Amino acid sequence: MPFDGIVTKAVTEELYDKLVPGKITKIYQSTDTELIVTIRSNRKNHKLLISIHPTYARIHLTDEKYKNPQEPPMFCMVLRKHLSGGRIENIEQDRLERMITFSIRSRNEIGDQTLQTLIVEIMGKHSNVMLVNRDGGHIIDSMKHISSAQNTYRTILPGAVYKPPPPQNKLNPLTIDGNEFIKKLDFNAGKLDRQIVQTLLGLSPFIARELVYRTNLGSPTVYKEMFHAFQNQLNNRTYIPAIYKNKKEDFHVLPITSIQEDVTTFSSTNEMLDQFYTGKAERDRVVQQTRDLSRFIKNEISKNERKLKKHRQTIKKAKRADDFQKKGELLTAHMHLVSKGDSEVIVIDYYDPEQKERTIHLDPTKTPSENAQNFFRKYRKLTNSKQVVTKEIVKTKAEIAYFEQLLQQLEVASINDVEEIREELHEEGYLKKQKRSQKKQRKKPTPQSFESSDGTTILVGKNNKQNEYLTMRIAHRDDIWLHTKDIPGSHVVIRKKNPSDETLEEAAMLAAYFSKSRDSSSVPVDYTKIRHVKKPKGAKPGFVTYDQQKTLFVTPKQSIINKLKI
């Protein structure tokens, strides 16, 4: 994901326009890698997210809600001590490096004014946030401590002198001219996009490929013209923030002419980044914390699929049951033709319309009567097994559907949702219950709330416990219930007797989004009144039957889902 120096430049310029001058009112550290700073500027509160997540490191304004820990981490407490109530005097980027510096004037314990520097380095797994004393240049504290044993070039510890990352020795595209740029390229060597990344500061491979595309394999003169146009875009802040979906999802602030389809543009870089990263970091944490659960569920699906295969083989064998019965009856009718020790007998098959002869193979160690009884015994065994296995096939298919439903729920689950799924597996006997010294008070499931365009409340169950609680306990008889047709997904309830067509479509979009078909188009969604939704006796959590339904076809869109969130 190209959070490169150019995107950093656009973010820095927007943050300067919105936050300078601004007063820091709140500081929270929601996780080990994410910092939330609330800044009051121009009579409005702005929530700034700073993340050093190894995969999703970034900085931007956000509208997302983040949970705060009961006890703030040490770094958060240090920031509160030195920066709470401080005023932001400047926000600047170091050339086109992914480094942003906040100059903040505040007061210490005795009331004297101090000038501190908050340095944000967005460098993938090496990202960090440091509070540095402006006068002495010493690090007061950092989000991530790096000792000399870990990094011989620089130490990032309280009390150490701040030292910038090692220089990359690349050209700054903001200050050089076209001739200097052309001199650095070897047109005979090829792979010009890689050469551009190695030559110019702040460019990701994503934007380098775009620059090469703009030249259409032209001459050095064309490259020079392209560079001047690119330089003007940067200097004049000619940004068009957009998210591009081409095999994978990417974003940038410069227009990507090589991708024309499936492009979503935004009015600001911060809005684009907030949209792009929404839920990605939490999704990554959920994946890490649910690996064991996901592995267990996938193993259960595989186990049941193998069992289903064996059952089907048994059914295939059971089709021979009638043939064993016929052999037994034919042998009984022709018993006078058989003696003990015969290995076969030729009989008239009176089941055949043409009365043809048929050879029946026998066990020579058995009497004719024993051979006949052996055929009847095989007939009864296969007939009985067919009846048992037919029931087992229905049960096994239900198990597979149940675990596929859980797997889909893990894909959209939050941390709290995962705990409810784990608890459900304990209650259903699939996982062993852990011994606990103190019994925790069981909390009621809490479906996620949304609000339609006309203000109607829409509730969504994110797992089986929430689905069942929503449908069987919370919803009223005349509320509208929705679910994807024959597709694993969430129960969705509109808290209104006669919702508008717009609300119905938005609720259907939520049902499609929180289902296995969230990335599909024209997803069928059934809807009916709660009174027509029933839970069969003995069914697993979240399983229901319904009737008198109608069907909508919708395509879930992330932008609309975000607008519906409360």
Side-chain angles (χ1 to χ4, degrees), residues 88 93 183 252 301 313 341 456 460 503 537 544 557:
I88 300 175
Q93 179 188 20
K183 287 179 182 178
H252 214 274
I301 291 174
Q313 290 172 348
T456 304
V460 178
T503 295
K537 186 177 180 180
V544 295
K557 296 180 180 178

Side-chain angles (χ1 to χ4, degrees), residues 385-439:
S385 67
K386 183 179 179 180
Q387 294 174 352
V388 173
V389 168
T390 300
K391 293 179 181 177
E392 284 296 315
I393 285 177
V394 174
K395 183 180 175 182
T396 305
K397 284 182 177 179
E399 288 282 290
I400 292 173
Y402 172 69
F403 284 111
E404 285 180 343
Q405 174 90 340
L406 290 180
L407 205 58
Q408 179 272 323
Q409 291 169 0
L410 280 180
E411 291 175 0
V412 297
S414 65
I415 297 297
N416 293 333
D417 298 332
V418 170
E419 290 307 309
E420 290 179 343
I421 293 173
R422 199 181 293 274
E423 185 180 330
E424 177 188 334
L425 287 170
H426 283 304
E427 292 173 355
E428 292 295 310
Y430 292 106
L431 294 177
K432 291 182 180 180
K433 292 186 177 180
Q434 297 176 347
K435 294 181 180 180
R436 295 178 181 176
S437 55
Q438 294 181 349
K439 290 185 178 180

